[in-house]
Amino acid sequence: MRKGFTTGSCAAAASKAAAYMLLSGKEKSAIEIETPAGVMFEAQIVDIQKNESYVSCAVIKDGGDDPDVTTGSHIVSKVSIVEDSFEKDMRSPLKVVIDGGIGVGRVTKPGLDQKVGNAAINHVPREMILKEVTEVCSFFDFNGILKVEISVPEGEELAKRTFNPRLGIEGGISILGTTGIVEPMSTKAILDTIRVELNQKKALGQTTAIVSPGNFGQQFMKDTFGYDLDMSVKCSNFIGETIDMVCEMGFEKMVLTGHIGKLIKVAGGIMNTHSHEADCRMEILACCAILANAEADIAKKILGCTNTEEALHIVEEAGMLKETMDIVLEKVLFYLNFRAQGKIQIECVIYSGDYGILAKSSGAKDLLM
């Protein structure tokens, strides 16, 4: 299936082109950037507007074969020179100010990638924009300050079809991406890929299937246990189907390693963790905290959180993080084993970005070492 490019890649490409046109005075109809994944992105530049103080242009988002609501939207970058005494000081380093305009959401609740008040342009897209614009400035020996404003004319309407309003991001979509590449999310394609990878591991003699929902889980295994990433399988959101395949192929054991944001859903018996399927993260975590003897006010605070990392801080401050996570792990293991129907031994490791390992079953470490 055809891959696409993230809104972050589009924003970086448009910003590079706008900066180039502003500082050179020449028009640019196409521009190339390198994504964090190392893949080159050649973007076509449209909607060019120029005057003495700024240049604005756009890249049309192409999500490839992924059913991405932002595909076809115009990711616009307006680059202007900031008239400030700072730019006259040639000894000072270059500064690039990045902000959001129309159709780019603004963060109103804590616990997200950006602080409250910031435009919802995540840190990797910001780094991409900074890198591309800085390179253009260096090429033209420009030592002043540039302001980059990212906007999406269709963004406010598109945001209604996302989780942004629920997360506390108001006024538009988010500018996202960690690799710069959009991987197609066809269900059949993903399940076929999981099956192929599991078959390969079995053919190589592995008796234990090491599974993680995503790249972060795989990297966590490497950083924490020194585990060879080539031996693990990424199951995306399809935890239930992956267990079925593992049992069918005759593996003896399985270890599931994942972030609390995904695995908390499994504690409620949810075997497809995609947000379009179900999102009871705070409800399940609040119930587990109550079972660990949390007071009602703690549960209410958890229910008001936008993500699990934020909720974990509340549980930790209440002094019952370990007790709560032990209950979460117990429930996760129950539903994993219920799906497997006793055909394999299943172990599990749950972690978070802020706290590291939150809970692990008794045999998990031995299978990962």
Side-chain angles (χ1 to χ4, degrees):
M1 297 184 73
R2 191 170 61 88
K3 296 180 180 180
F5 293 93
T6 62
T7 49
S9 290
C10 295
S15 298
K16 181 178 183 179
Y20 180 91
M21 288 187 278
L22 179 66
L23 298 181
S24 70
K26 299 177 182 178
E27 193 159 301
K28 198 79 171 169
S29 60
I31 203 85
E32 189 175 62
I33 67 166
E34 182 178 4
T35 65
V39 177
M40 301 307 294
F41 173 34
E42 184 175 357
Q44 300 304 307
I45 306 302
V46 299
D47 302 342
I48 299 171
Q49 298 181 27
K50 299 190 296 182
N51 69 21
E52 292 182 359
S53 61
Y54 75 86
V55 171
S56 173
C57 65
V59 172
I60 298 176
K61 166 69 186 295
D62 180 3
D65 288 331
D66 187 69
D68 189 333
V69 299
T70 61
T71 290
S73 60
H74 291 65
I75 312 300
V76 180
S77 179
K78 176 183 176 182
V79 178
S80 56
I81 297 174
V82 177
E83 296 296 337
D84 189 281
S85 58
F86 175 88
E87 69 177 300
K88 298 177 182 177
D89 184 357
M90 303 302 284
R91 296 170 297 174
S92 297
L94 169 75
K95 285 190 175 181
V96 178
V97 180
I98 302 171
D99 201 3
I102 293 172
V104 171
R106 201 156 289 273
V107 177
T108 65
K109 291 184 180 180
L112 300 175
D113 181 274
Q114 294 295 303
K115 295 179 180 180
V116 171
N118 281 7
I121 305 172
N122 279 11
H123 72 280
V124 173
R126 287 178 183 268
E127 291 165 5
M128 294 172 67
I129 293 168
L130 178 62
K131 172 181 176 292
E132 300 299 339
V133 172
T134 299
E135 287 181 1
V136 172
C137 291
S138 297
F139 182 80
F140 288 105
D141 198 26
F142 176 77
N143 294 291
I145 307 171
L146 290 184
K147 179 179 179 181
V148 177
E149 182 183 271
I150 306 299
S151 59
V152 184
E154 310 91 342
E156 194 166 355
E157 279 301 311
L158 290 174
K160 296 175 183 177
R161 298 162 59 188
T162 73
F163 274 96
N164 274 14
R166 178 173 177 175
L167 294 174
I169 299 173
E170 298 181 358
I173 65 168
S174 300
I175 304 300
L176 303 171
T178 54
T179 64
I181 305 298
V182 176
E183 298 283 352
M185 290 293 288
S186 159
T187 297
K188 184 180 183 304
I190 294 174
L191 291 175
D192 286 348
T193 300
I194 295 169
R195 182 175 292 278
V196 167
E197 290 193 16
L198 285 171
N199 268 323
Q200 184 183 52
K201 305 301 184 262
K202 193 71 169 58
L204 290 171
Q206 283 185 223
T207 58
T208 300
I210 310 297
V211 176
S212 178
N215 294 327
F216 289 131
Q218 291 179 321
Q219 191 63 45
F220 177 82
M221 287 190 289
K222 179 181 180 182
D223 295 342
T224 306
F225 300 104
Y227 191 82
D228 183 356
L229 298 182
D230 290 337
M231 297 176 68
S232 64
V233 173
K234 184 166 66 173
C235 69
S236 187
N237 296 295
F238 303 101
I239 293 173
E241 282 94 338
T242 301
I243 294 173
D244 297 343
M245 294 180 202
V246 169
C247 293
E248 173 193 326
M249 293 178 191
F251 283 91
E252 297 174 8
K253 303 170 185 176
M254 170 178 158
V255 181
L256 176 65
T257 302
H259 188 275
I260 180 64
K262 286 286 186 186
L263 297 196
I264 190 63
K265 297 181 182 182
V266 180
I270 298 167
M271 288 290 151
N272 184 333
T273 57
H274 196 289
S275 57
H276 290 171
E277 295 289 331
D279 187 13
C280 298
R281 293 168 300 160
M282 303 312 154
E283 290 84 351
I284 296 170
L285 187 54
C287 287
C288 291
I290 289 172
L291 289 173
N293 296 318
E295 299 292 337
D297 64 320
I298 299 299
K300 288 181 180 178
K301 288 180 181 178
I302 293 171
L303 291 172
C305 292
T306 58
N307 60 57
T308 48
E309 293 283 359
E310 180 188 358
L312 289 178
H313 286 290
I314 293 171
V315 178
E316 195 273 337
E317 288 170 5
M320 50 185 54
L321 183 60
K322 182 182 183 305
E323 294 85 349
T324 301
M325 292 313 305
D326 284 347
I327 292 171
V328 170
L329 177 63
E330 179 185 351
K331 291 185 174 296
V332 168
L333 287 171
F334 170 81
Y335 285 109
L336 293 176
N337 282 300
F338 183 81
R339 183 70 176 235
Q341 292 292 297
K343 296 175 183 177
I344 54 171
Q345 174 189 340
I346 297 186
E347 305 290 344
C348 182
V349 179
I350 305 173
Y351 73 93
S352 83
D354 292 343
Y355 293 100
I357 294 178
L358 294 168
K360 66 177 185 294
S361 58
S362 58
K365 185 176 180 180
D366 291 340
L367 295 180
L368 288 170
M369 298 303 286

